[in-house]
Amino acid sequence: MAGVYPQAALVMAAVIGMTAFTPWRSPLVDFSRRQLALIAIAAVATVVGVAPFLLRANQFGPVFTLAEARNIPTFLYEQRGAVFEPDGSVDLLCQKRIGIFAAECSGLLDPWLALLVLVNFAGPIFLFARMFRPGPPFGSRSPLPLFLLVSSLMCAALSAAVMFRLHVPNRYASVLRLLPYLATLPVLFDWIRSRLSPQALIERYHGRTLLIGTCIVMTVCVLAVSIVHTSNKSPANRELISAIRALPKDAVVGGFVDDLDFSPVLTQRSTLFSRELSVAYEKGYYQPVYRRMEIVRDIVLATDAIVLLDRMQYLPIDCLIVAKETLVHPRVPTSFRGFFGADLLDMETQAAQNGPTLVARLAQGCTTGVYRDVVMLSMRCLLQEATHDLDRQRTRGAINKDRSAAAAATTDPSSVGSTPAPSTTQP
C-alpha cells in the first residue's frame, strides 16, 4: 500500500499499531515480542514505501496554504478540484473533494448525515463490544473495524489541521465506505448461522457446494461495490489518441480537450496540461501548468495576430487541438472553465464582439486532421499565417496612413494661396 497510495498505508499502519491495545483482556496493552515485531515491521515498511514519495515531492513544493488556496480559481470553481463552499467556508464532512463522506450529505442539518454516522459507526462499535463477552468465543467479533474507523478519523483530522500538507482529509477517511460491509456482513452471517443452522447443508456435498458458492458470490459482490470505481474513464475519441501517437516522438500537443488526460500514457507524447494532472496542491508543478493553460486560453480567444505571436514566445507546442464548437463560438469548454476566474466571461464576450477569432480564421488552412468534434492544427502553420496577417495589417495601415496624409495635405488651410491663380488677362 505504501508503494501505491501512501494515504492508505498510513491508515493501515496505525491500525496495526492499535492491535497492541487489548482492553478486553489482561494486560491492557500487548507487549509480547510477536506484537512488537509486527508493529516494527509495519512501521519500517511504511517508512520505506512512503519515503520515495516524500523525496520526489520536494521538487514540486511548497504546497499551497489554506489562505493561498482561497485565491486560486480551481479551488473555487473547478468541478473536480473545488474544496471551498460558495461563501469560502470549508465543509470537512460533506464536501465532495475533502469531506470524509464525500458528497453523500449536504451539511450538519442534513438528516441523511445522522444515518451515515449510524451506519458507519454502529457496526464497528458493536463488533468491538462483543470482544468483552465472557466465556469461549462465540459469534462475530472483531476490534479491527473500530481500529480502522479511529485510524481513518485521526488521519483525516490531522490532514484537515494542516491542509494541504497531508493531501486532503477524505483521502484518509475514504475507508468509511467499506465499514458498513466490513462490520455488518459478519453480524448478518452470524445471525443466519444461529437462526437457520445450516448443519443439514454441511452434511451433504451439494449443500457444502451451495454454501461455498454463496460465500464466494457475496464476497465478490462486496468487493465490487466497495472497491471497483464505476466512474473510471477511458478515451472517448480514440481516433484523436491514435493521431497523437502517430506524431514524432518529440512532438508537444495541447488544448482544452478532455481526452488529453490519456495522452501522456497512451501516446507517449508530451502534453501541455490536462484536467487529470491539474489539481492544484503544490506550486512547483501547478503554477507552470496553469500558465500554459492561460496562454492557450489567450490563443484560442485572440482576434489579433499580435496576441498569438506574443503568447507563442512562451509556449513550446507543435499541435494545437481545438473543439469545433470553440472555433464557432469563442468559449473555453465547460470542463476547463473552472480553472479560470470570473473574468473569463468578459474575455469571451470581447472576443465574440470582435468577430471570428484568429484561430477560427486560420483553421481551414492549418488543419492537419479532424477527429470527431475536435480539430488538430499545426502550430507552425498558425505562426506563419499569423505573421503574414500581421504584415498585411501593417501594410494596410501604412497605405491608409499615406492616404490620410495626402488627404490632409489637400485640405490643409496653410496650403491655400500657395498655388498661382490662373491668369485672367485676355490676349
Side-chain angles (χ1 to χ4, degrees):
M1 287 185 176
V4 176
Y5 205 80
Q7 288 81 3
L10 295 177
V11 171
M12 296 311 300
V15 171
I16 293 175
M18 290 180 187
T19 56
F21 180 64
T22 55
W24 54 87
R25 68 168 184 259
S26 183
L28 182 65
V29 181
D30 184 0
F31 290 111
S32 65
R33 291 182 179 180
R34 180 180 181 279
Q35 186 65 39
L36 294 178
L38 175 64
I39 295 174
I41 292 173
V44 171
T46 303
V47 172
V48 171
V50 173
F53 291 95
L54 297 178
L55 295 176
R56 288 198 300 268
N58 292 334
Q59 61 184 309
F60 302 115
V63 297
F64 288 106
T65 64
L66 188 60
E68 291 173 328
R70 295 183 188 276
N71 298 316
I72 299 175
T74 183
F75 289 130
L76 298 171
Y77 307 111
E78 211 279 314
Q79 183 177 4
R80 180 173 177 267
V83 298
F84 297 108
E85 297 300 304
D87 60 356
S89 62
V90 179
D91 185 354
L92 295 174
L93 287 177
C94 303
Q95 203 274 339
K96 181 179 180 181
R97 186 69 185 172
I98 63 173
I100 61 175
F101 291 114
E104 294 181 2
C105 52
S106 59
L108 288 174
L109 300 180
D110 186 358
W112 183 250
L113 177 60
L115 181 60
L116 286 173
V117 172
L118 178 64
V119 169
N120 285 282
F121 295 2
I125 294 174
F126 180 73
L127 291 180
F128 183 80
R130 280 190 166 191
M131 297 295 297
F132 293 87
R133 281 188 174 184
F138 175 81
S140 298
R141 60 181 69 189
S142 174
L144 292 180
L146 184 62
F147 290 165
L148 190 58
L149 172 65
V150 172
S151 174
S152 299
L153 295 180
M154 286 175 53
C155 290
L158 179 61
S159 177
V162 293
M163 278 199 328
F164 299 88
R165 299 186 181 278
L166 285 178
H167 208 54
V168 292
N170 74 343
R171 287 297 183 245
Y172 301 90
S174 58
V175 72
L176 294 179
R177 302 187 182 194
L178 286 172
L179 286 179
Y181 305 100
L182 293 175
T184 304
L185 285 179
V187 177
L188 178 62
F189 290 156
D190 183 49
W191 182 86
I192 294 175
R193 183 196 63 77
S194 62
R195 296 298 188 277
L196 301 182
S197 183
Q199 188 64 33
L201 293 176
I202 297 176
E203 293 174 352
R204 299 181 181 181
Y205 174 77
H206 295 294
R208 291 194 298 272
T209 303
L210 177 63
L211 287 177
I212 294 174
T214 301
C215 290
I216 292 175
V217 170
M218 296 187 71
T219 302
V220 170
C221 290
V222 170
L223 293 176
V225 170
S226 59
I227 296 178
V228 176
H229 293 273
T230 57
S231 61
N232 286 348
K233 299 192 304 181
S234 60
N237 194 339
R238 294 189 177 274
E239 293 86 349
L240 175 63
I241 298 298
S242 299
I244 297 175
R245 191 186 299 118
L247 295 173
K249 287 189 176 296
D250 59 347
V252 180
V253 299
F256 297 119
V257 176
D258 290 342
D259 278 340
L260 289 182
D261 285 347
F262 308 96
S263 179
V265 173
L266 299 182
T267 70
Q268 302 299 307
R269 302 298 184 268
S270 295
T271 304
L272 290 176
F273 57 82
S274 68
R275 290 188 68 252
E276 185 64 28
L277 301 178
S278 299
V279 178
Y281 287 118
E282 299 188 66
K283 300 177 184 179
Y285 75 86
Y286 179 73
Q287 288 179 333
V289 167
Y290 183 63
R291 178 57 181 157
R292 296 171 200 159
M293 297 176 74
E294 286 184 314
I295 294 175
V296 173
R297 175 203 62 192
D298 293 345
I299 289 175
V300 299
L301 297 180
T303 57
D304 193 330
I306 295 179
V307 175
L308 187 144
L309 294 172
D310 175 73
R311 299 301 186 270
M312 282 305 303
Q313 298 179 40
Y314 313 99
L315 194 67
I317 179 174
D318 298 290
C319 295
L320 178 66
I321 304 174
V322 185
K324 292 180 180 179
E325 181 65 20
T326 302
L327 297 178
V328 178
H329 303 287
R331 181 180 174 85
V332 174
T334 302
S335 56
F336 288 90
R337 299 183 65 79
F339 290 100
F340 304 105
D343 58 342
L344 176 63
L345 184 59
D346 294 335
M347 299 175 65
E348 294 171 335
T349 302
Q350 183 176 358
Q353 291 174 349
N354 293 336
T357 62
L358 184 65
V359 172
R361 296 201 305 267
L362 303 179
Q364 185 173 1
C366 295
T367 297
T368 61
V370 179
Y371 311 97
R372 297 188 185 180
D373 57 344
V374 299
V375 179
M376 183 183 293
L377 305 175
S378 168
M379 208 65 222
R380 178 180 298 179
C381 175
L382 289 176
L383 285 173
Q384 292 175 349
E385 293 300 321
T387 302
H388 294 160
D389 187 78
L390 183 59
D391 291 340
R392 288 191 292 268
Q393 289 181 21
R394 288 172 176 171
T395 301
R396 287 195 299 267
I399 294 174
N400 293 335
K401 183 177 181 181
D402 292 341
R403 289 176 178 174
S404 298
T410 58
T411 59
D412 190 352
S414 62
S415 64
V416 175
S418 61
T419 303
S423 176
T424 58
T425 305
Q426 298 296 325

